[in-house]
Amino acid sequence: MTLTKLPKDGKVAVLGAGILGLTFTYFLSKLRPDLHFTIYEKTQRPGGWMFSPTLHVKDTGEKIMLEKGPRTLRGVKDGSLLMIDILQKLGLKNQVEVINKSSPANKKYITDSQGEIVQVPNSIASTVKFLKQVKAFDWNLLRGIVFEPFVKPYNGDETVEQFFKRRFKSTIITDNVASAIMHGVYAGDIGKLSIKSILPALKEIEHESGSIVKHVLQQIFKLKTKPKPKLNGTTKDGEIDSKQKVQKLSELLQTYEQLLSPQANLLLLQTRLKDYPMIKLHDGMDALPRHLAQFLIQNTNTVIKYNAPIESCDPVSGLVNGEKFDHIRSTINTHSLANSLPANNPLVPQLNSIQYVSIFLTNLFTRELLLIPQGKPGFGFLRPRYRNVSNNPQALLGTIYDSDIENHVQGLFNDSKPVRNKYNKITIMMGGHYYSHWSIPSNKLNLKIVEDVLAEKLKVDVSRLNVKAITISEGKRDTEIDTIKDNDLVISYSLHSQCIPQYNLGYQETKAKVLEILNKENYKLSFGGTVFAGGLGVPDCVESSLVDALQLK
């Protein structure tokens, strides 16, 4: 979208005090200290879907963190580096914890057609065994692989399932493996998600190489024939390897260092994170938005209005809830924004066409080591759809092994290591696109379903445990419980309604129409958040916050 630079002492409205609204405000306030910001938040706290309440156990003094939203940042991304730099600026660098790529907590699993948990492969040899276990290989797929190089590219958009079926003449990979990945990232249906929106690289490979198989074989050949450079940058023959990659920062991060954070040394940080594919915060992911909100209030011209839903918004005049602004930044649900716009605004039908899914999230804690399968430590498991086996009546998407993650972290900027306490803590996620086909079960029924998941997938005999269901108030970060005995199973559940947008077939056209309207009508409006920004991941959206702030400065 084309953004107009803001006038001196201009006023900016930010819709939503989640991490994306807050980082946008932070970046733009650094670039333009003269600007005045008003952040509207419908709830009574900052953070949005990032919420990390703590359960205090009275008799032992323990503090048990229950992540209700995102809990880790994965991979070395520009947005992750930006977030870590902000944490350092806030004096919170010791919050940053990482997990080494060789850690047991970095192992991932999916369930096979019988519900057994199978480790995702990390080598060619283990891949063969894995595909056999999850029944993701048959003669139709083998024939499809052989003839895939002769399949002509298709210019139009299609679902992920249609793409693989067209090129490989089989849906066994999408049914038994790829659908699990879509459950973990989008909670979405692989038969509806757009290939151009979520896996654009595959479409690029199809058009550039003409074949996925051909491209993969070329990459394998390059790896096998590429000379291995020594530490001094020379080949084994002593000659300088001119093709050796020199690590450098992206243009965006270089600009960030020049204009906002000259002492950041992000290249060193980027190099340091290469061995750590997973990042978390010691006090929970909401530590960043909580402290960032305080910083903005105390150090910039920012006011945060809590319990202030958007009742009216006019992108032409710049009016938000009756107050006039020079720019409006929306990071809220597109349906909520549509309801606040004038009824005849051309954005309304486009914003309402975006589909969202809901998640029933359950945190479970026990002192007994019985929630995580023995001999299978890791990050957790995802459930594929297995079209020909069952329709997943539990609407199970996946399970995260929180205690394994917490027990294998180390400080990025200090030598801190976790105290490996004996406990199990997991998070079970259900719903997503499955809830689009039937009514969302009641909390009582969903808790019964959680018990079924524990029994069938994790082999836990819930009948011998004392179940303690606790309620976490949306705006209350601390909750108390008198005691937790060895045979207690503590359960905390919450329904995240309409929390994840779906990049389904047709999304690309909708996004193009929205951006066209913004440019054509010269609206005082821009979009952050997970819908029209850089992607669904938090780092991608934080990166988008910086990109747009640079245009508005």
Side-chain angles (χ1 to χ4, degrees):
M1 65 193 103
T2 302
L3 301 178
T4 304
K5 295 187 182 298
L6 297 172
K8 182 174 174 54
D9 298 319
K11 295 175 62 179
V12 179
V14 179
L15 314 187
I19 185 62
L20 307 179
L22 295 171
T23 52
F24 172 80
T25 305
Y26 174 83
F27 294 140
L28 190 52
S29 66
K30 286 282 188 182
L31 292 164
R32 291 286 304 275
D34 61 298
L35 296 176
H36 297 262
F37 299 87
T38 300
I39 302 177
Y40 294 88
E41 171 54 45
K42 69 177 181 180
T43 70
Q44 53 188 310
R45 63 170 180 84
W49 294 117
M50 284 185 176
F51 185 36
S52 315
T54 301
L55 180 63
H56 293 261
V57 186
K58 288 184 180 180
D59 63 347
T60 63
E62 289 174 278
K63 296 180 180 180
I64 301 169
M65 184 175 62
L66 304 174
E67 287 282 19
K68 295 295 182 180
R71 62 208 61 212
T72 58
L73 305 174
R74 298 190 65 80
V76 182
K77 288 179 169 276
D78 283 4
S80 298
L81 296 174
L82 293 171
M83 293 170 73
I84 292 175
D85 188 60
I86 294 173
L87 284 163
Q88 292 188 87
K89 295 295 186 296
L90 298 178
L92 299 170
K93 70 177 185 179
N94 287 336
Q95 282 284 332
V96 183
E97 298 176 331
V98 291
I99 291 180
N100 195 287
K101 60 185 177 183
S102 62
S103 168
N106 200 38
K107 294 180 179 179
K108 293 97 177 174
Y109 303 85
I110 69 172
T111 60
D112 66 14
S113 59
Q114 304 304 311
E116 295 299 317
I117 297 172
V118 180
Q119 184 178 345
V120 174
N122 53 15
S123 67
I124 295 177
S126 59
T127 297
V128 175
K129 180 181 178 182
F130 168 76
L131 293 176
K132 183 178 179 181
Q133 284 179 293
V134 298
K135 298 180 180 178
F137 192 85
D138 60 12
W139 289 110
N140 288 332
L141 178 60
L142 179 60
R143 284 193 293 270
I145 292 173
V146 171
F147 290 102
E148 190 272 344
F150 304 99
V151 177
K152 294 181 179 179
Y154 172 62
N155 290 325
D157 197 7
E158 55 195 327
T159 69
V160 177
E161 180 182 54
Q162 288 170 337
F163 175 85
F164 279 92
K165 186 175 182 179
R166 176 175 58 82
R167 295 214 63 87
F168 296 99
K169 311 304 179 186
S170 172
T171 63
I172 196 167
I173 285 289
T174 50
D175 287 343
N176 299 7
V177 179
S179 58
I181 300 171
M182 299 303 115
H183 284 167
V185 179
Y186 301 94
D189 184 353
I190 200 166
K192 294 182 179 179
L193 291 166
S194 155
I195 188 77
K196 279 190 174 182
S197 301
I198 65 172
L199 294 172
L202 287 181
K203 290 294 284 187
E204 292 175 9
I205 291 172
E206 179 182 34
H207 286 281
E208 291 175 4
S209 300
S211 164
I212 307 299
V213 171
K214 179 181 175 182
H215 176 81
V216 170
L217 292 176
Q218 288 173 339
Q219 295 304 309
I220 293 174
F221 179 76
K222 285 180 181 179
L223 287 174
K224 286 185 176 181
T225 57
K226 183 178 179 180
K228 292 184 179 181
K230 292 184 178 181
L231 292 178
N232 63 0
T234 62
T235 67
K236 62 182 181 181
D237 298 320
E239 297 177 354
I240 295 176
D241 182 6
S242 60
K243 293 183 179 180
Q244 184 181 356
K245 284 188 177 180
V246 177
Q247 190 172 351
K248 63 179 182 179
L249 290 176
S250 66
E251 290 186 13
L252 179 64
L253 292 184
Q254 291 180 47
T255 302
Y256 174 78
E257 285 194 333
Q258 292 167 6
L259 300 180
L260 285 90
S261 188
Q263 307 302 319
N265 200 354
L266 294 181
L267 183 58
L268 177 62
L269 178 59
Q270 180 174 272
T271 303
R272 196 171 187 176
L273 285 172
K274 287 294 184 182
D275 290 330
Y276 305 111
M278 197 185 311
I279 306 164
K280 69 178 288 293
L281 302 186
H282 182 76
D283 291 334
M285 289 302 292
D286 75 356
L288 176 53
R290 284 190 295 110
H291 288 90
L292 184 53
Q294 293 176 4
F295 173 86
L296 292 172
I297 293 171
Q298 296 170 1
N299 298 278
T300 68
N301 301 318
T302 300
V303 174
I304 302 180
K305 295 184 177 182
Y306 293 109
N307 298 310
I310 306 304
E311 298 174 352
S312 62
C313 177
D314 187 347
V316 177
S317 64
L319 284 171
V320 175
N321 287 2
E323 187 175 353
K324 192 166 185 178
F325 295 90
D326 297 292
H327 187 77
I328 303 167
R329 178 70 167 188
S330 177
T331 66
I332 63 177
N333 181 293
T334 59
H335 298 176
S336 298
L337 180 60
N339 289 336
S340 71
L341 295 176
N344 62 348
N345 189 286
L347 284 175
V348 171
Q350 305 303 327
L351 299 180
N352 281 329
S353 70
I354 298 296
Q355 297 177 326
Y356 288 81
V357 296
S358 302
I359 302 292
F360 189 84
L361 183 147
T362 308
N363 304 101
L364 302 102
F365 176 93
T366 178
R367 297 197 189 285
E368 290 193 52
L369 305 182
L370 49 77
L371 299 180
I372 298 175
Q374 293 294 318
K376 293 184 178 180
F379 184 80
F381 70 84
L382 297 171
R383 190 198 188 283
R385 67 181 185 183
Y386 286 112
R387 184 206 307 264
N388 297 326
V389 176
S390 73
N391 197 29
N392 193 2
Q394 298 161 336
L396 177 64
L397 301 171
T399 297
I400 299 172
Y401 300 163
D402 297 298
S403 52
D404 273 1
I405 297 169
E406 293 170 0
N407 282 328
H408 288 89
V409 295
Q410 62 188 76
L412 180 64
F413 297 106
N414 55 40
D415 296 326
S416 68
K417 302 265 176 146
V419 177
R420 298 199 175 184
N421 298 314
K422 290 186 176 181
Y423 68 95
N424 268 181
K425 181 169 61 171
I426 65 174
T427 302
I428 295 177
M429 297 163 293
M430 304 186 303
H433 69 94
Y434 290 107
Y435 283 171
S436 303
H437 306 297
W438 63 72
S439 299
I440 298 177
S442 65
N443 290 338
K444 183 177 181 180
L445 179 55
N446 261 334
L447 286 177
K448 175 63 174 65
I449 295 173
V450 167
E451 293 183 6
D452 291 342
V453 171
L454 289 174
E456 293 180 16
K457 303 296 186 295
L458 299 172
K459 315 303 180 189
V460 176
D461 183 4
V462 181
S463 64
R464 72 177 187 81
L465 297 173
N466 177 36
V467 177
K468 287 185 174 180
I470 60 171
T471 302
I472 303 289
S473 302
E474 160 59 26
K476 190 176 180 182
R477 207 170 174 273
D478 296 322
T479 301
E480 290 186 340
I481 187 171
D482 291 331
T483 186
I484 299 177
K485 298 179 179 179
D486 288 345
N487 67 331
D488 285 344
L489 175 63
V490 179
I491 296 181
S492 171
Y493 59 87
S494 51
L495 176 66
H496 297 328
S497 181
Q498 304 291 292
C499 61
I500 303 180
Q502 299 296 284
Y503 302 158
N504 289 339
L505 203 60
Y507 165 77
Q508 289 289 321
E509 290 77 8
T510 299
K511 182 176 181 178
K513 288 178 183 177
V514 167
L515 298 182
E516 179 185 358
I517 293 170
L518 292 181
N519 294 333
K520 182 179 179 181
E521 304 295 338
N522 199 26
Y523 283 168
K524 299 177 180 179
L525 173 68
S526 66
F527 286 97
T530 56
V531 179
F532 301 122
L536 195 62
V538 173
D540 298 318
C541 296
V542 169
E543 183 180 337
S544 177
S545 295
L546 175 59
V547 170
D548 289 351
L550 288 168
Q551 290 190 57
L552 285 165
K553 71 177 174 62

Coordinates of all heavy atoms in Angstrom, one line a residue, residues 220-247:
I220 N 20.2 -31.3 -4.3 CA 21.0 -32.4 -3.7 C 22.4 -32.5 -4.4 O 23.4 -32.7 -3.7 CB 20.2 -33.7 -3.8 CG1 19.0 -33.6 -2.9 CG2 21.1 -34.9 -3.4 CD1 18.1 -34.8 -3.0
F221 N 22.4 -32.4 -5.7 CA 23.6 -32.5 -6.5 C 24.6 -31.4 -6.1 O 25.8 -31.6 -6.0 CB 23.3 -32.5 -8.0 CG 24.5 -32.6 -8.8 CD1 25.2 -33.8 -9.0 CD2 25.0 -31.5 -9.5 CE1 26.3 -33.9 -9.8 CE2 26.2 -31.5 -10.3 CZ 26.8 -32.7 -10.4
K222 N 24.0 -30.2 -6.0 CA 24.9 -29.0 -5.6 C 25.5 -29.2 -4.2 O 26.7 -28.9 -4.0 CB 24.0 -27.8 -5.6 CG 23.7 -27.2 -7.0 CD 22.9 -26.0 -6.9 CE 22.5 -25.4 -8.2 NZ 21.7 -24.2 -8.2
L223 N 24.8 -29.8 -3.3 CA 25.3 -30.0 -1.9 C 26.4 -31.0 -2.0 O 27.4 -30.9 -1.2 CB 24.2 -30.5 -1.0 CG 23.1 -29.4 -0.6 CD1 22.0 -30.0 0.2 CD2 23.8 -28.3 0.2
K224 N 26.2 -32.1 -2.8 CA 27.2 -33.2 -2.8 C 28.5 -32.7 -3.5 O 29.6 -33.2 -3.2 CB 26.6 -34.4 -3.5 CG 25.6 -35.1 -2.7 CD 25.1 -36.4 -3.4 CE 24.2 -37.2 -2.5 NZ 23.7 -38.5 -3.1
T225 N 28.4 -31.9 -4.5 CA 29.6 -31.5 -5.3 C 30.2 -30.2 -4.8 O 31.3 -29.8 -5.2 CB 29.2 -31.3 -6.8 OG1 28.1 -30.3 -6.9 CG2 28.7 -32.6 -7.3
K226 N 29.5 -29.5 -3.9 CA 30.1 -28.2 -3.4 C 31.3 -28.4 -2.6 O 31.2 -29.2 -1.6 CB 29.0 -27.4 -2.7 CG 29.5 -26.0 -2.2 CD 28.4 -25.3 -1.5 CE 28.8 -23.9 -1.0 NZ 27.7 -23.2 -0.3
P227 N 32.5 -27.7 -2.8 CA 33.7 -27.9 -2.0 C 33.4 -27.4 -0.6 O 32.6 -26.4 -0.4 CB 34.7 -27.0 -2.6 CG 34.2 -26.7 -4.0 CD 32.7 -26.8 -3.9
K228 N 33.9 -28.1 0.4 CA 33.7 -27.7 1.8 C 34.8 -26.7 2.2 O 36.0 -27.0 2.3 CB 33.8 -28.9 2.7 CG 32.6 -29.8 2.5 CD 32.6 -31.0 3.5 CE 31.4 -31.9 3.3 NZ 31.4 -33.0 4.3
P229 N 34.4 -25.4 2.5 CA 35.4 -24.4 2.9 C 36.0 -24.7 4.3 O 35.3 -25.2 5.1 CB 34.7 -23.1 2.8 CG 33.2 -23.5 3.1 CD 33.1 -24.9 2.5
K230 N 37.3 -24.3 4.4 CA 37.9 -24.4 5.8 C 37.4 -23.1 6.5 O 36.8 -22.2 6.0 CB 39.4 -24.5 5.7 CG 39.9 -25.8 5.1 CD 41.4 -25.9 5.1 CE 41.9 -27.2 4.6 NZ 43.4 -27.3 4.6
L231 N 37.9 -23.1 7.8 CA 37.5 -22.0 8.6 C 38.0 -20.6 8.1 O 37.4 -19.6 8.3 CB 37.9 -22.2 10.1 CG 37.3 -23.3 10.8 CD1 37.9 -23.5 12.2 CD2 35.8 -23.1 10.9
N232 N 39.1 -20.6 7.4 CA 39.7 -19.4 6.9 C 39.1 -19.0 5.5 O 39.5 -18.1 4.9 CB 41.2 -19.5 6.8 CG 41.6 -20.6 5.7 OD1 40.8 -21.2 5.1 ND2 42.9 -20.8 5.6
G233 N 38.0 -19.7 5.1 CA 37.4 -19.3 3.8 C 38.0 -19.9 2.6 O 37.7 -19.4 1.5
T234 N 38.8 -20.9 2.7 CA 39.4 -21.5 1.5 C 38.9 -22.9 1.3 O 38.3 -23.5 2.2 CB 41.0 -21.6 1.7 OG1 41.3 -22.4 2.8 CG2 41.6 -20.2 1.9
T235 N 39.1 -23.4 0.1 CA 38.6 -24.8 -0.2 C 39.7 -25.7 0.3 O 40.8 -25.4 0.8 CB 38.4 -25.0 -1.7 OG1 39.7 -24.8 -2.3 CG2 37.5 -23.9 -2.3
K236 N 39.4 -27.0 0.2 CA 40.4 -28.0 0.6 C 41.6 -28.0 -0.2 O 42.7 -28.5 0.2 CB 39.7 -29.4 0.6 CG 39.3 -29.9 -0.8 CD 38.7 -31.2 -0.8 CE 38.3 -31.7 -2.2 NZ 37.6 -33.0 -2.2
D237 N 41.6 -27.4 -1.4 CA 42.8 -27.2 -2.2 C 43.5 -26.0 -1.9 O 44.6 -25.7 -2.5 CB 42.4 -27.2 -3.7 CG 41.7 -28.6 -4.1 OD1 42.2 -29.6 -3.6 OD2 40.8 -28.5 -4.8
G238 N 43.1 -25.2 -0.9 CA 43.8 -24.0 -0.5 C 43.4 -22.7 -1.3 O 43.9 -21.7 -1.1
E239 N 42.4 -22.8 -2.2 CA 42.0 -21.7 -3.0 C 40.8 -21.0 -2.3 O 40.0 -21.6 -1.7 CB 41.6 -22.1 -4.4 CG 42.8 -22.7 -5.2 CD 42.3 -23.1 -6.6 OE1 41.1 -23.1 -6.9 OE2 43.2 -23.5 -7.4
I240 N 40.7 -19.7 -2.5 CA 39.6 -19.0 -1.9 C 38.3 -19.4 -2.6 O 38.2 -19.5 -3.8 CB 39.8 -17.5 -2.1 CG1 41.0 -17.0 -1.3 CG2 38.6 -16.7 -1.7 CD1 41.4 -15.6 -1.5
D241 N 37.3 -19.7 -1.8 CA 36.0 -20.1 -2.3 C 35.2 -18.9 -2.6 O 34.6 -18.3 -1.7 CB 35.3 -21.0 -1.3 CG 33.9 -21.5 -1.8 OD1 33.6 -21.3 -3.0 OD2 33.2 -22.2 -1.0
S242 N 35.1 -18.4 -3.8 CA 34.4 -17.2 -4.2 C 32.9 -17.3 -4.0 O 32.3 -16.3 -3.9 CB 34.8 -16.8 -5.6 OG 34.3 -17.8 -6.5
K243 N 32.4 -18.5 -4.0 CA 31.0 -18.7 -3.9 C 30.5 -18.8 -2.4 O 29.3 -19.0 -2.2 CB 30.5 -19.9 -4.7 CG 30.7 -19.8 -6.2 CD 30.2 -21.0 -6.9 CE 30.3 -20.8 -8.4 NZ 29.8 -22.0 -9.1
Q244 N 31.5 -18.8 -1.5 CA 31.1 -19.0 -0.1 C 30.2 -17.8 0.3 O 30.6 -16.6 0.1 CB 32.3 -19.1 0.8 CG 32.0 -19.3 2.2 CD 33.3 -19.3 3.1 OE1 34.3 -19.3 2.5 NE2 33.1 -19.5 4.4
K245 N 29.1 -18.1 1.0 CA 28.2 -17.0 1.4 C 28.8 -16.2 2.5 O 29.3 -16.7 3.5 CB 26.9 -17.6 1.8 CG 26.0 -18.1 0.7 CD 24.6 -18.5 1.2 CE 23.7 -18.9 0.0 NZ 22.4 -19.3 0.5
V246 N 28.7 -14.9 2.3 CA 29.2 -14.0 3.3 C 27.9 -13.5 4.1 O 27.0 -12.9 3.4 CB 29.9 -12.8 2.8 CG1 30.3 -11.8 3.9 CG2 31.2 -13.2 2.0
Q247 N 27.8 -13.8 5.3 CA 26.6 -13.4 6.1 C 26.5 -11.9 6.2 O 27.5 -11.2 6.5 CB 26.7 -14.1 7.5 CG 25.3 -13.9 8.2 CD 25.4 -14.7 9.5 OE1 26.3 -15.5 9.7 NE2 24.3 -14.6 10.3

